[in-house]
């Protein structure tokens, strides 16, 4: 879906590298702005540290995270 290569890491550091430095996915790189929509359940439910880390990766300008269902 995002055009990530097989060798791509499956962690937040790898995702951060992809959206900040670009050059890893032609699909992502072909757009000026990346907007990711997620639901608040699961990773964003409660007070999970991983959710807070993921939110911090997005700069709000070149890449944005939109969390739906937040109170």
């Amino acid at each position: 879906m995002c055009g990530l290569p097989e060798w791509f890491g499956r962690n937040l550091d790898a995702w951060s590298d992809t959206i900040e430095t670009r050059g890893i996915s032609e699909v992502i790189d072909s757009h000026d702005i990346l907007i990711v929509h997620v639901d608040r359940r699961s990773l964003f439910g409660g007070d999970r540290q991983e959710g807070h880390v993921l939110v911090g990766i997005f700069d709000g300008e070149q890449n944005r995270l939109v969390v739906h269902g937040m109170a």
Side-chain angles (χ1 to χ4, degrees):
M1 180 176 358
C2 291
L4 298 169
E6 250 306 303
W7 53 264
F8 179 76
R10 303 291 187 235
N11 58 57
L12 293 177
D13 289 334
W15 179 247
S16 178
D17 290 344
T18 300
I19 65 173
E20 287 181 10
T21 62
R22 305 284 180 125
I24 297 173
S25 166
E26 289 182 18
V27 173
I28 292 172
D29 295 350
S30 68
H31 302 282
D32 292 331
I33 298 173
L34 171 68
I35 300 174
V36 176
H37 292 262
V38 297
D39 192 292
R40 75 176 181 103
R41 293 176 290 193
S42 188
L43 185 60
F44 298 97
D47 194 28
R48 295 194 52 190
Q49 181 63 26
E50 298 90 344
H52 294 289
V53 171
L54 183 59
V55 168
I57 291 172
F58 290 82
D59 67 17
E61 293 177 24
Q62 184 179 10
N63 44 72
R64 298 178 191 146
L65 179 69
V66 178
V67 181
H68 295 277
M70 298 296 285

